Amino acid sequence: MKEMKKLFILLTLCIATNVLFAAERLQIKVNYTKGLYKGLTYSAIQEAEPDFIKDKPRYEGRFLEEFEKKITEPIAVVFTDTPDKKGNYMTINILTVSPKGNLVAEVSYKGQTKQFKCKGGTFGSFLNLFGDGMGSLGKDLAKWIHTL
């Protein structure tokens, strides 16, 4: 029985490894520093919303969740502050985020730059609504990538 479990784990790892190697790697840098959040600068929003930085993985998680639902080719997304410019990378500059989480972002990918206006949420804290806006951005970016 132990041998069967080991075999199953080994097989699962092999499959996962093959999927990762078959997937194109996309590095994404999200620049939050130039944005206005509820009319506040990046520094001011950190004071007004103490969990703003701590919740960054949650916003990016919402982005990734919705992006992966809409993308059709296998892409392994990696969030990074320093993308390898020789590789496949995307830069997202958050420009504005309304109190409802509606956001405007400027995205650069494969030599093209496009501005996106994305819907936030209707109920919850600002940080939760911002997460909704990031999810909407993930959907819109996946659709845009299909057109390139």
Side-chain angles (χ1 to χ4, degrees), residues 41 48 80 107 121 134 137 140:
T41 64
T80 179
V107 179
M134 288 294 284
L137 178 62
D140 292 350

Side-chain angles (χ1 to χ4, degrees), residues 12-137:
T12 303
L13 288 172
C14 287
I15 291 169
T17 302
N18 285 336
V19 168
L20 286 175
F21 284 121
E24 180 181 357
R25 184 172 181 233
L26 173 62
Q27 301 172 80
I28 297 179
K29 176 182 175 150
V30 182
N31 183 357
Y32 297 92
T33 61
K34 297 179 182 175
L36 288 176
Y37 304 87
K38 301 191 299 184
L40 301 172
T41 64
Y42 181 69
S43 299
I45 195 64
Q46 291 177 63
E47 290 177 30
E49 298 281 353
D51 290 338
F52 185 81
I53 296 297
K54 184 183 85 164
D55 284 353
K56 188 172 134 179
R58 191 170 56 125
Y59 318 136
E60 293 171 358
R62 287 294 312 278
F63 170 91
L64 187 58
E65 178 183 339
E66 297 302 327
F67 180 84
E68 288 178 338
K69 285 180 186 176
K70 295 291 181 189
I71 203 75
T72 56
E73 60 271 358
I75 295 180
V77 173
V78 177
F79 288 98
T80 179
D81 289 332
T82 54
D84 175 8
K85 304 282 179 154
K86 296 176 193 166
N88 188 24
Y89 72 96
M90 172 185 291
T91 303
I92 301 172
N93 291 306
I94 304 296
L95 302 177
T96 61
V97 182
S98 77
K100 288 288 187 182
N102 301 327
L103 66 86
V104 177
E106 182 180 83
V107 179
S108 298
Y109 181 63
K110 292 191 174 183
Q112 296 190 32
T113 300
K114 183 174 179 176
Q115 195 170 88
F116 290 85
K117 295 179 181 177
C118 304
K119 183 139 175 63
T122 54
F123 181 76
S125 69
F126 170 71
L127 299 180
N128 183 53
L129 298 171
F130 179 40
D132 293 341
M134 288 294 284
S136 178
L137 178 62

